[in-house]
């Protein structure tokens, strides 16, 4: 919210400088996000009146003006502005004046000079040249009553400061100049000037029929008819100036008055063209399919969740958000209906965002606007309309349907002392609350407050504690070091840190990515097989509408992004959280009811394994390259890979990652369907593993170096083609070798092109080196042969293999 300092000081004027005022507001919870002057520095610029303007003798687009600046003699100034004419008053920069700095940061000095042979004794200025606005269409025309020769800074009140407040949602009562002044008065103790608003007597008896059909939408609806207004009336310069300094451009007098009261008292209102209303008004919820063309030119379709104001034929306004074009005031308007209502915040919240826009009115109503002042502010608007646009007002028609019920809130002084962290008496707390206009009622160690109608944020004890400390001042809080014992949280030796895992993956050539947790719903369906993802109620974009249950989509998007920028080799990983529905999860400090949020690590490899280099020429990364990376990441734990299916991966090149009997993840090549859809020249290889399984590790245990030399034996066994390496190793390790088997290593695979040499067409030969040893003595031939025979028997029993002859 933006407003000028001068307007704020009209309501509350404490003896503080501008900087002190900004600091007081910030420390009181009303953060001053920006503080800047209303105009940049310039000097020696006065009000001048053009008495004569004639064509330049040597230039078609220049005029020679005779300007009175109150010095006793006229100045001859050459000007090229299209609106330079006799009778207007404009800013005149005298010789020696300094205009605001330009792009080079240096002020522009006005000198005596000649333009096309005619002497120019100064410069007539536009608003842009004074950096008051971007308007460069002509000279800045001043009010006719501006005194000639007066300093322009004084006439336009440019020695002012612009405050921009960044308010939290609970400070809706400060969304106006008067509201900010009310807070300032409480914080400084300076008196608050509350203007008395006199009612405008009714000059006729016309009343527009109004029906409120939705009490859960509107709690109070006030309005009145004003006849014979002049829509072409000019908005007073003081009002235009204040609106401009609030960031609002002037439109028409009627619209400006409505906006002015909203900035002044925080009361949004709407002015209808009475003659365009068919019948009466009905305040109700929308109906499916109803459409409305808004004042901003867009057309929206409403439903039963959107409040509207309708007449006998159509919807005329989005309740509490924006009016419709059909009943907007125009140059042809003669009779108007002014509306000021209280809309329930829950009925307005989120409605404007459904239509991808926001308004100042909606911003205020969804936080709460004082329901007790609708008639008072309606009288204020009426008086301004009658004074500026003329007309005769009718009686006020006030409908009270149901107003918020103020529930008392009790503050325990002892509790406040504990939370705030400094000693306070009950009287100090009462004084702080009293300065805010809360009128506390004393009890035994307690203070009870009934929130005023403009405070929607006071509901629990902590709200009152916050008010107390705001008024006392955060700067008064003592600096107290923490007294709790600090104990180092040592990571167990059986767990690695995420930092170590990141360094490990980086050493393998991967780069870390960080992605949003909200993704496209198509990714969930296609890549995770999740037909019922967790949907966001208010997504920031249509392609970020659900919470991810897999990290693979984010990595593929990073791949696509890099390929579009001519990257030839991409290896990326992410450590992030995924989200699943789980009714067994309860709400705690770190969990949300019904949502399981495990951490995972996922990676993607694309392109050459080693990049462009002379020593190795070959295809891009394949399944076994990434398999080695996964094994390095899990080491020293040995994982098993079991053929499996995954929605994102190639049906014949996908494996389930098992640690013991527990499934911890998947790895494989991207499915051809998704490779084609993502337009990838090669198929990347991906993996995704539960983070807990990766971080867990076995605690190293000491094992002495064997004193006796091991023995090695090579065997070649014939097995069926369907038998894999993992099944063969399982059979070998299951053999009863009396603990002599230390290691088995596959070193050869033979598959004949034709049946023969003792190997059938559906068989293959696998050669394995067995390493045997004992910690007690050198093995004898009998021990070695017995262990080898035990291995061969286990292979025959478990996988149907036989020793190759």
């Amino acid at each position: 919210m933006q407003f000028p300092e001068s307007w704020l000081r009209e309501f509350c004027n404490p003896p503080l400088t501008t900087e002190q005022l900004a600091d007081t507001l910030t420390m009181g919870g009303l953060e001053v996000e920006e503080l800047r002057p209303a105009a940049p520095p310039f000097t020696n610029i006065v009000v001048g009146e053009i008495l004569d303007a004639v064509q330049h003798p040597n230039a078609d687009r220049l005029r020679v003006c005779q300007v009175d600046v109150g010095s006793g003699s006229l100045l001859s100034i050459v000007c090229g502005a299209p609106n330079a004419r006799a009778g207007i008053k404009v800013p005149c920069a005298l010789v020696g004046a300094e205009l605001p700095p330009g792009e080079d940061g240096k002020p522009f000095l006005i000198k005596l000079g000649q333009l096309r042979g005619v002497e120019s004794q100064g410069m007539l200025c536009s608003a842009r040249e004074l950096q008051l606005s971007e308007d460069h269409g002509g000279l800045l025309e001043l009010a006719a009553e501006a005194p000639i020769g007066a300093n322009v800074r004084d006439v336009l009140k440019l020695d002012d400061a612009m405050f921009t407040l960044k308010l939290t949602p609970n400070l809706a009562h400060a969304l106006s100049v008067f509201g900010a002044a009310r807070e300032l008065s409480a914080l400084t103790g300076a008196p608050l000037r509350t203007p008395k608003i006199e009612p405008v007597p009714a000059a006729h008896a016309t009343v527009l029929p109004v029906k409120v059909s939705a009490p859960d939408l509107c709690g109070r609806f006030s309005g009145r008819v004003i006849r014979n207004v002049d829509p072409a009336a000019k908005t007073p310069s003081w009002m235009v100036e204040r609106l401009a300094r609030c960031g609002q451009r002037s439109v028409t007098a009627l619209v400006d008055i409505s906006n002015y009261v909203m900035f002044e008292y925080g009361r949004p209102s709407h002015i209808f063209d009475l003659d365009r209303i068919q019948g009466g008004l009905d305040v109700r919820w929308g109906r499916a399919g109803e459409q409305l063309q808004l004042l901003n030119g867009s057309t929206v379709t409403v439903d039963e969740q959107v409040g509207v104001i309708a007449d006998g034929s159509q919807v005329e306004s989005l309740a509490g958000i924006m009016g419709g074009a059909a009943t907007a005031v125009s140059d042809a308007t003669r009779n108007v209906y002014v509306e000021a209502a209280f809309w329930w915040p829950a009925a307005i919240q989120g409605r404007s965002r459904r239509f991808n826009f926001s308004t100042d009115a909606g911003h205020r109503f969804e936080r709460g606007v004082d329901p007790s002042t609708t008639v008072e502010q309606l009288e204020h608007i009426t008086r301004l309309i009658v004074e500026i646009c003329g007309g005769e007002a009718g009686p006020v028609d006030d409908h009270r349907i149901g107003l918020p019920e103020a529930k008392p809130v009790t503050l325990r002084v002892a509790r406040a002392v504990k939370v705030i962290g400094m000693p306070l008496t009950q009287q100090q707390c009462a004084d702080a609350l009293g300065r805010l206009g809360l009128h506390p009622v004393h009890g035994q160690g307690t203070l009870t407050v009934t929130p005023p109608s403009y405070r929607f944020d006071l509901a629990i004890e902590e709200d009152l504690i916050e008010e107390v400390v705001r008024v006392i001042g955060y700067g008064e809080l003592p600096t107290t070091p923490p007294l709790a014992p600090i104990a180092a949280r040592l990571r167990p030796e059986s767990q690695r840190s995420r930092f170590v895992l990141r360094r490990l993956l980086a050493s393998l050539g991967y780069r870390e990515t960080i992605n949003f947790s909200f993704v496209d719903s198509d990714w969930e369906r296609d890549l995770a097989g999740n037909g019922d993802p967790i949907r966001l109620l208010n997504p920031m974009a249509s392609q970020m509408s659900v919470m991810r249950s897999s990290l693979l989509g984010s990595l593929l998007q990073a791949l696509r992004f890099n390929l579009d920028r001519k990257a030839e080799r991409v290896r990326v990983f992410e450590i992030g959280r995924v989200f699943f529905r789980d009714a067994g999860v309860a709400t705690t400090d770190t969990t949300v009811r019904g949502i399981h949020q495990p951490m995972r690590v996922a990676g993607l490899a694309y392109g050459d394994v080693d990049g462009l280099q002379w020593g190795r020429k070959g295809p891009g990364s394949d399944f076994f390259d990434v398999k080695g990376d996964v094994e390095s990441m899990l080491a020293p734990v040995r994982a098993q890979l079991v053929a499996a299916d995954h929605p994102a991966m190639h049906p014949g090149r996908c494996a389930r990652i098992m640690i013991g009997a527990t499934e911890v993840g998947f790895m494989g090549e991207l499915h051809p369907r998704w490779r084609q859809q993502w337009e990838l020249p090669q198929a990347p290889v991906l993996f995704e593993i539960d983070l807990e399984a990766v971080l867990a590790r076995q605690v190293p245990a000491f094992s002495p170096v064997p004193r006796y030399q091991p023995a090695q034996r090579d065997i070649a066994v014939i097995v069926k083609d369907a038998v894999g390496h993992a099944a063969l190793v399982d059979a070998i390790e299951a053999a009863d070798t009396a603990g002599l088997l230390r290691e088995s290593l596959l070193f050869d695979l033979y598959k004949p092109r034709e049946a023969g040499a003792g190997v059938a067409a559906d068989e293959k030969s696998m050669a394995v080196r067995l390493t045997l040893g004992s910690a007690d003595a050198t093995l004898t031939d009998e021990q070695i042969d017995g262990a080898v025979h035990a291995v061969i028997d286990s292979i025959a029993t478990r996988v149907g293999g036989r020793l190759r002859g």
Side-chain angles (χ1 to χ4, degrees), residues 28-30 183 187 436 455 466-474:
L30 285 72
E183 290 293 302
L187 295 172
L436 290 166
R455 294 299 298 266
E466 179 186 6
E467 298 302 297
V468 169
V469 73
R470 278 202 313 123
V471 174
I472 291 177
Y474 291 109

Side-chain angles (χ1 to χ4, degrees), residues 557-633:
Q557 185 183 45
L559 171 62
R560 183 69 268 171
F561 180 88
N562 283 273
L563 292 181
D564 289 343
R565 286 149 183 81
K566 307 303 180 183
E568 297 179 353
R569 178 180 182 272
V570 179
R571 296 170 79 88
V572 293
F573 77 94
E574 180 178 5
I575 298 175
R577 199 172 295 280
V578 293
F579 304 85
F580 299 92
R581 298 186 187 277
D582 187 347
V585 177
T587 298
T588 66
D589 292 340
T590 58
T591 61
V592 177
R593 182 171 59 86
I595 308 295
H596 181 44
Q597 308 176 50
M599 294 288 292
R600 288 187 179 175
V601 55
L604 177 149
Y606 176 92
D608 294 340
V609 177
D610 300 315
L612 183 63
Q613 52 100 22
W614 65 271
R616 176 173 171 175
K617 303 291 184 182
S621 302
D622 62 14
F623 180 92
F624 295 100
D625 293 318
V626 177
K627 174 177 177 286
D629 294 338
V630 171
E631 290 177 339
S632 297
M633 185 171 56

Side-chain angles (χ1 to χ4, degrees), residues 410-411 413 426 430 440-448:
T410 299
L411 167 70
V413 177
Q426 182 166 329
V441 176
H442 288 260
Q444 188 66 35
T446 64
L447 296 169
T448 301

